[in-house]
Amino acid sequence: MLNILFVTDFVCPYCLVAKEALRQALLETGMEAEILIQPLELTEEPKERVDTYHDETRKARYQILTEPAKQLGLDMKLPPAVVPRPYTRLAFEGWYFAREKGLGEEYSDLMYRAYFMEEKDIGDPEVLTELAKRIGLDPEEYRNALLAGTWTKQEKEEVSYSKDVLKVRGIPSIYINGKKIALQTYTKEEMVAILTQQAEGSDEGGFCCGPDGCN
């Protein structure tokens, strides 16, 4: 069994493509893995949110993902027409709630797709509540947990861990059995090769998103 730590944010386009490539690669290879989501907010409150939709530089950089996303069956908007880009603290707090209910994987997949494919504002608690209903979460219980800040402390601690302990500067940052890998093409084929080689890869290079932008 592979232990995979996946440092991510739900508004990082590279993260969605990498997660789907990983999912399909695991299915193809038949390998078993325990995937743990590790949050890192690209924009933490109260830092000013960014407008990715009108950022031509970002749009150009995102083009590396166009073909891999298509091959993986992802009809992504690069970037989505959600201005400004949402804060994701509440979405992550909702993920802790969903994980406690045994729906963590379904929830994380929903958040990525709601933002990048449906152009939903996943920083809005009402939008999040409606999305949570889709996977069978109790909407009132979910909404009350967000409003009460039930998971705020844990979420903030985990984001701090990503930055201060793991020293993550770009996402996705993926660790397989404790070893950091680097992605260049974001394809299923690349991920299959990495898994097959027991994650023998470099921790340098690759394309990713950081708090100051995506390369």
Side-chain angles (χ1 to χ4, degrees):
M1 164 117 23
L2 298 174
N3 292 306
I4 301 177
L5 183 66
F6 195 87
V7 188
T8 187
D9 195 350
F10 296 130
V11 293
C12 163
Y14 299 96
C15 294
L16 171 54
V17 179
K19 187 80 181 320
E20 183 62 18
L22 176 60
R23 186 188 71 81
Q24 293 190 21
L26 287 169
L27 286 173
E28 183 168 309
T29 60
M31 294 182 180
E32 295 185 354
E34 180 179 7
I35 303 174
L36 178 63
I37 295 290
Q38 177 70 32
L40 190 151
E41 297 172 48
L42 289 175
T43 305
E44 291 185 77
E45 303 156 284
K47 186 177 178 180
E48 185 178 357
R49 292 180 291 166
V50 299
D51 178 356
T52 58
Y53 184 68
H54 296 101
D55 189 329
E56 295 302 322
T57 300
R58 287 178 190 262
K59 288 182 181 180
R61 290 171 175 171
Y62 289 164
Q63 295 315 301
I64 186 180
L65 297 173
T66 302
E67 189 57 31
K70 181 179 178 181
Q71 292 178 2
L72 292 165
L74 299 171
D75 182 19
M76 295 174 66
K77 310 301 188 295
L78 292 168
V82 181
V83 180
R85 186 177 65 186
Y87 292 124
T88 51
R89 176 180 58 81
L90 287 177
F92 275 121
E93 290 185 29
W95 174 76
Y96 288 108
F97 176 88
R99 186 179 66 171
E100 188 177 65
K101 305 295 184 182
L103 293 170
E105 182 63 24
E106 292 85 348
Y107 181 92
S108 63
D109 186 60
L110 176 65
M111 289 299 109
Y112 290 122
R113 292 168 183 263
Y115 178 64
F116 283 107
M117 300 173 73
E118 300 179 39
E119 299 181 297
K120 299 284 189 181
D121 181 355
I122 61 170
D124 184 329
E126 298 305 322
V127 171
L128 290 172
T129 300
E130 286 301 312
L131 290 171
K133 288 168 59 177
R134 293 188 191 177
I135 57 172
L137 292 171
D138 182 282
E140 284 304 310
E141 188 181 1
Y142 174 90
R143 186 174 184 276
N144 288 339
L146 294 188
L147 295 179
T150 304
W151 301 99
T152 301
K153 182 175 183 291
Q154 182 170 351
E155 195 274 346
K156 288 183 176 295
E157 288 175 348
E158 293 295 330
V159 170
S160 294
Y161 180 84
S162 298
K163 295 190 303 181
D164 302 331
V165 178
L166 294 177
K167 304 294 185 182
V168 171
R169 295 295 177 263
I171 54 176
S173 283
I174 306 171
Y175 300 81
I176 301 180
N177 292 339
K179 186 172 184 179
K180 189 175 181 181
I181 67 169
L183 298 176
Q184 295 289 340
T185 64
Y186 284 80
T187 62
K188 180 183 69 174
E189 291 73 22
E190 179 184 40
M191 196 67 76
V192 166
I194 289 171
L195 295 177
T196 303
Q197 296 164 13
Q198 298 293 313
E200 291 180 2
S202 168
D203 62 357
E204 301 295 333
F207 295 88
C208 62
C209 284
D212 296 322
C214 301
N215 62 21

